C-alpha cells in the first residue's frame, strides 16, 4: 500500500492539473465574450460534445458476440424516441435505462 | 451549412419557482447515473485495499470520475508524480473545451466562480451548457454543481461502506449516464437547431473509437473542435463573398 504522503501528493497533483485545465479557457475568454467565434462555439459545441460522450460511455460495447450491443441500441433508441415525443428528461432516462436493463436480463 | 440561431430559447415545462428546486429537477437524471458510478468507484477502491475514508478524499480532491478510476491503478503502482501529472493532463484535457461555452459569467463572487471551475465536470457541463444562459441564475448553477458532487460522494461512500452486500441486479444502472447524454444531445439540438454539428461529432467519435479507443474523448473532441474551426472559417468566407 502506498504511503499516505505519496497519496496526498499524487491527489494534489491531479487536483492542480485538473483545476488549471478547467480554468484555462476562462482566463482568455473574458476578453472574447462577445466575439462571433465564442457565440458560434456556444451554439455548436454542447450538442456535439454530448454526442461524443454518448459514444464514449458505450466504447466498451462488443458488437461481435451475443447480444451484439442490442440492449444498448434499444436503450439509446428508446430514450431518444421517448424524449422526442414527451420532452421529459427524467422520464426518458428512467424508461431508457429500464429498457436497457430489461433487455440485458432477457438476452 | 450555416444555420440561424434564434434568440428565443426552447423552454421545456413550466419554470420552477426556486433556483434550488430547479437545480434538483435539473440534476435528478444525472444523479441516476452519478450515484451508481460513485458506488462502483467506492467498491473498487475498498476492494483495492484502501480504507473507506479515502473514497470521499479522492472525490473531493480529484472530482473527475474517469480519472478517479484510473488513479487507483496509478497510485497502487507508485507512479512518479510527473507521470501522474501527464496522465491527468491527457485524460482531463477535454475540460479545456468545456470552458468555451460554460456560462461562468453568470456566477457572482470569486469564491463561487472558483468552486464552479473546480466542479466543472462532464455532467455539470452537460446540464448547464444545454440550457439557455438567461434561465440560469448564479444560485441555480452552483446548486447544480453542488448536487452533482453530493450524488457522486454519497455513491462512493455507500459503495465503500456496503460494498459486497449489494444486489447483483443493479448492474446496468450506469446506463443512465448514456441515456442522460442522449437526452442532453436532443435538448442541445432543440436549442441550437444545428444539424451538421451532431453529425460531424458522431463521425469524429467513431473515427476516434477506431483509431484511439483508449484516448477516445481527447481525440474525438480535438477532431470535433477542428471541424468547428473549419466550419467557422468557411462561414466567414461565405458571408464575405455575399457582401
Amino acid at each position: 500500500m502506498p504511503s499516505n504522503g505519496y497519496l496526498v501528493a499524487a491527489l494534489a497533483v491531479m487536483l492542480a492539473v485538473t483545476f488549471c485545465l478547467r480554468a484555462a479557457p476562462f482566463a482568455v475568454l473574458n476578453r472574447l465574450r462577445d466575439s462571433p467565434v465564442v457565440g458560434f462555439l456556444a451554439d455548436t459545441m454542447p450538442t456535439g460534445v454530448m454526442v461524443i460522450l454518448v459514444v464514449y460511455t458505450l466504447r466498451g460495447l462488443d458488437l461481435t458476440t451475443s447480444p451484439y450491443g442490442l440492449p444498448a441500441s434499444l436503450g439509446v433508441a428508446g430514450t431518444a424516441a421517448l424524449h422526442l415525443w414527451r420532452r421529459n428528461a427524467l422520464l426518458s432516462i428512467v424508461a431508457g435505462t429500464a429498457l436497457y436493463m430489461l433487455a440485458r436480463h432477457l438476452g | 451549412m450555416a444555420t440561424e440561431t434564434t434568440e428565443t430559447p426552447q423552454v421545456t415545462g413550466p419554470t420552477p419557482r426556486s433556483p434550488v428546486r430547479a437545480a434538483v429537477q435539473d440534476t435528478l437524471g444525472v444523479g441516476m447515473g452519478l450515484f451508481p458510478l460513485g458506488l462502483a468507484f467506492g467498491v473498487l477502491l475498498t476492494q483495492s485495499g484502501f480504507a473507506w475514508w479515502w473514497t470521499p478524499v479522492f472525490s473531493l480532491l480529484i472530482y473527475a470520475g474517469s480519472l478517479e478510476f484510473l488513479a487507483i491503478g496509478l497510485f497502487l503502482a507508485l507512479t512518479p508524480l510527473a507521470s501522474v501529472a501527464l496522465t491527468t493532463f491527457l485524460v482531463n484535457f477535454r475540460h479545456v473545451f468545456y470552458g468555451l461555452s460554460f456560462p461562468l459569467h453568470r456566477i457572482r463572487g470569486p469564491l463561487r466562480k472558483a468552486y464552479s471551475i473546480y466542479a466543472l465536470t462532464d455532467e455539470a457541463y452537460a446540464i448547464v451548457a444545454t440550457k439557455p444562459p438567461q434561465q440560469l441564475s448564479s444560485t441555480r448553477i452552483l446548486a447544480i454543481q453542488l448536487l452533482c458532487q453530493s450524488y457522486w460522494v454519497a455513491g462512493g461512500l455507500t459503495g465503500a461502506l456496503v460494498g459486497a452486500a449489494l444486489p447483483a441486479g443493479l448492474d446496468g444502472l450506469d446506463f443512465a449516464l448514456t441515456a442522460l447524454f442522449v437526452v442532453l444531445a436532443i435538448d442541445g439540438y432543440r436549442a441550437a437547431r444545428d444539424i451538421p454539428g451532431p453529425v460531424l461529432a458522431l463521425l469524429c467519435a467513431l473515427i476516434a473509437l477506431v483509431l484511439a479507443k483508449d484516448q477516445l474523448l481527447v481525440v474525438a473532441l480535438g477532431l470535433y473542435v477542428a471541424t468547428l474551426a473549419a466550419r467557422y472559417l468557411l462561414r466567414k468566407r461565405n458571408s464575405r463573398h455575399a457582401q
Side-chain angles (χ1 to χ4, degrees):
Chain A
M1 205 62 201
S3 72
N4 286 358
Y6 167 80
L7 288 174
V8 170
L11 285 169
V13 166
M14 286 188 160
L15 171 68
V17 175
T18 305
F19 186 85
C20 289
L21 286 171
R22 287 175 180 169
F26 299 112
V28 187
L29 231 77
N30 268 335
R31 274 167 284 156
L32 300 172
R33 177 70 48 213
D34 298 317
S35 81
V37 190
V38 174
F40 174 75
L41 287 178
D43 282 342
T44 50
M45 284 266 306
T47 315
V49 173
M50 291 316 125
V51 171
I52 290 170
L53 284 172
V54 170
V55 178
Y56 172 70
T57 58
L58 296 174
R59 72 195 178 287
L61 222 56
D62 187 355
L63 301 177
T64 54
T65 54
S66 174
Y68 309 103
L70 207 64
S73 312
L74 271 175
V76 169
T79 307
L82 205 56
H83 199 58
L84 287 170
W85 177 39
R86 304 292 305 181
R87 288 195 176 207
N88 181 330
L90 192 61
L91 175 73
S92 314
I93 292 167
V94 171
T97 307
L99 188 62
Y100 167 78
M101 289 170 77
L102 194 70
R104 245 172 65 134
H105 283 285
L106 295 178
Chain B
M1 176 130 178
T3 38
E4 291 293 321
T5 14
T6 46
E7 282 303 310
T8 41
Q10 295 284 319
V11 184
T12 44
T15 317
R17 284 158 296 170
S18 105
V20 175
R21 191 174 298 174
V24 171
Q25 271 182 22
D26 297 335
T27 55
L28 275 181
V30 179
M32 283 193 45
L34 278 179
F35 186 84
L37 272 180
L39 201 100
F41 173 70
V43 172
L44 197 63
L45 193 69
T46 43
Q47 279 175 356
S48 310
F50 288 83
W52 66 270
W53 49 265
W54 276 111
T55 313
V57 174
F58 269 57
S59 302
L60 289 174
L61 285 179
I62 310 180
Y63 192 35
S66 45
L67 185 66
E68 285 179 51
F69 279 98
L70 271 176
I72 300 175
L74 290 174
F75 294 175
L76 285 178
L78 288 172
T79 310
L81 294 184
S83 305
V84 169
L86 183 67
T87 309
T88 307
F89 184 82
L90 289 175
V91 171
N92 278 347
F93 188 71
R94 63 184 187 278
H95 290 143
V96 162
F97 305 118
Y98 293 171
L100 295 176
S101 48
F102 188 86
L104 188 73
H105 57 285
R106 306 282 301 179
I107 293 170
R108 316 250 166 270
L111 268 179
R112 289 173 186 170
K113 276 193 160 82
Y115 174 76
S116 186
I117 292 172
Y118 151 81
L120 184 42
T121 57
D122 298 323
E123 293 79 12
Y125 172 79
I127 299 172
V128 171
T130 45
K131 291 189 171 43
Q134 58 270 33
Q135 277 183 22
L136 295 164
S137 64
S138 178
T139 314
R140 184 165 170 187
I141 299 176
L142 284 170
I144 287 172
Q145 293 188 284
L146 275 166
L147 283 167
C148 284
Q149 190 164 20
S150 338
Y151 300 144
W152 176 254
V153 174
L157 270 174
T158 311
L161 293 173
V162 259
L166 291 165
L170 277 178
D171 67 329
L173 205 58
D174 55 351
F175 184 82
L177 204 60
T178 309
L180 166 79
F181 293 137
V182 170
V183 161
L184 290 167
I186 293 173
D187 284 346
Y189 171 73
R190 280 185 174 137
R193 296 278 154 191
D194 176 53
I195 293 175
V199 173
L200 289 168
L202 182 63
L203 274 176
C204 292
L206 293 178
I207 291 170
L209 182 67
V210 174
L211 294 183
K213 195 173 173 181
D214 295 331
Q215 291 300 328
L216 192 151
L217 262 187
V218 179
V219 174
L221 288 171
L223 284 174
Y224 184 57
V225 169
T227 67
L228 288 184
R231 285 182 67 193
Y232 183 75
L233 291 176
L234 263 175
R235 181 186 289 194
K236 221 167 86 174
R237 210 180 60 182
N238 286 346
S239 62
R240 204 173 290 157
H241 277 291
Q243 277 164 11

